[in-house]
């Protein structure tokens, strides 16, 4: 069973707000970095031995307590259950983004039951290193572009909630409600809201001082 409660940092963990440092190119192939990547892959595939079927479409190292600029992205994910091409990106950065944006719902193991509708550029160009230290530059659109933006935000200490300015688009979704939330675009008019005050409590933030409670 995939037990995120024992894998992912709690939403109020201060590490989630830190900016992850780059991996020096000379250290990409080091045992320490490769072990951290393998740990991330183990999380992404859960208890499955078949490494063509990840249980996650994206993961940032900081989400599981690894302070390195490394993400995993399933570049075949379309938001409709299609998965199977999970790739490792080291020191990823978005070097171009489209002016056109699109709204879609986002959730995260690092935000618990809090979900929301986020506007992001529809197309991006990503530059990164592979596990072999080779530089790649790739273009993505739609849902895959959204995954890249979401995960790279994590490396910069940013969660999707910070991208939402209209609190009406900040939602509370229980585990058993996800099928209904996702289907037929019910997320566009989801009745259960999460107030900004409630989010601050979850994060352990003083409303006035804006300080995180460690």
């Amino acid at each position: 069973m995939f037990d995120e409660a024992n894998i992912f940092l709690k939403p109020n963990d201060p590490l989630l707000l830190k900016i992850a440092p780059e991996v020096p190119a000379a250290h990409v192939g080091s045992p320490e970095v490769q072990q951290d990547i393998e740990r991330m892959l183990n999380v992404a595939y859960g208890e499955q031995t078949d490494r063509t079927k990840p249980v996650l479409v994206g993961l940032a190292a900081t989400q599981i307590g690894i302070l390195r600029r490394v993400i995993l992205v399933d570049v075949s994910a379309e938001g409709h259950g299609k998965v199977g091409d999970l790739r490792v990106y080291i020191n990823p950065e978005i070097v171009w983004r489209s002016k056109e944006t699109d709204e879609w719902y986002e959730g995260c193991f690092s935000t618990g039951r809090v979900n929301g509708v986020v506007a992001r550029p529809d197309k991006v160009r990503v530059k990164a290193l592979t596990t072999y230290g080779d530089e790649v530059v790739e273009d993505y659109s739609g849902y895959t572009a959204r995954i890249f933006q979401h995960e790279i935000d994590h490396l910069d200490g940013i969660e999707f909630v910070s991208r939402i300015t209209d609190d009406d688009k900040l939602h509370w979704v229980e585990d058993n409600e996800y099928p209904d939330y996702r289907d037929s675009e019910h997320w566009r008019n989801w009745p259960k809201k999460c107030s900004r005050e409630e989010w601050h409590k979850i994060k352990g933030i003083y409303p006035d001082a804006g300080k995180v409670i460690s």
Side-chain angles (χ1 to χ4, degrees):
M1 181 178 178
F2 186 72
D3 185 8
E4 69 271 15
N6 295 321
I7 297 173
F8 290 86
L9 298 181
K10 302 297 183 184
N12 64 347
D13 195 303
L15 190 66
L16 291 170
L17 300 179
K18 292 185 177 295
I19 298 175
E22 287 193 352
V23 178
H27 295 173
V28 168
S30 69
E32 294 79 12
V33 173
Q34 293 300 316
Q35 286 170 8
D36 283 343
I37 290 173
E38 187 62 23
R39 180 183 163 200
M40 293 176 66
L41 289 169
N42 287 338
V43 170
Y45 289 104
E47 295 182 353
Q48 298 181 111
T49 56
D50 183 358
R51 286 210 161 181
T52 63
K53 298 178 180 179
V55 296
L56 303 176
V57 296
L59 177 67
T62 50
Q63 291 182 274
I64 58 172
I66 300 172
L67 202 59
R68 298 188 193 275
R69 293 193 79 81
V70 181
I71 62 173
L72 306 180
V73 175
D74 188 338
V75 299
S76 71
E78 297 177 347
H80 303 290
K82 182 181 178 181
V83 294
D85 192 0
L86 192 71
R87 300 181 187 178
V88 179
Y89 293 88
I90 301 170
N91 300 339
E93 61 175 310
I94 296 173
V95 295
W96 173 85
R97 47 176 55 83
S98 66
K99 293 181 180 180
E100 298 79 15
T101 62
D102 187 29
E103 282 194 334
W104 196 259
Y105 70 87
E106 294 186 23
C108 186
F109 286 112
S110 300
T111 61
R113 303 281 70 82
V114 181
N115 293 247
V117 182
V118 187
R120 294 190 187 269
D122 185 57
K123 298 178 181 178
V124 297
R125 179 168 297 135
V126 179
K127 181 173 72 172
L129 298 178
T130 69
T131 54
Y132 299 102
D134 299 323
E135 184 177 281
V136 293
V137 179
E138 300 172 349
D139 292 342
Y140 291 100
S141 61
Y143 186 62
T144 309
R146 180 172 295 274
I147 299 171
F148 272 100
Q149 293 172 83
H150 180 110
E151 304 306 339
I152 292 174
D153 269 356
H154 271 304
L155 300 183
D156 292 327
I158 300 169
E159 291 162 310
F160 74 85
V161 176
S162 300
R163 300 290 186 189
I164 300 175
T165 56
D166 180 356
D167 285 3
D168 194 50
K169 296 180 179 180
L170 196 56
H171 304 151
W172 186 272
V173 186
E174 298 292 347
D175 281 341
N176 63 345
E177 295 175 327
Y178 275 111
D180 186 40
Y181 184 70
R182 294 166 176 157
D183 291 346
S184 303
E185 298 196 353
H186 287 169
W187 50 268
R188 292 192 182 277
N189 298 291
W190 191 249
K192 298 175 70 173
K193 313 297 182 182
C194 176
S195 68
R196 192 70 55 168
E197 180 181 6
E198 182 61 28
W199 170 244
H200 286 165
K201 290 179 181 178
I202 292 170
K203 290 296 293 180
I205 297 174
Y206 291 106
D208 295 329
K211 296 181 180 178
V212 177
I213 305 170
S214 59

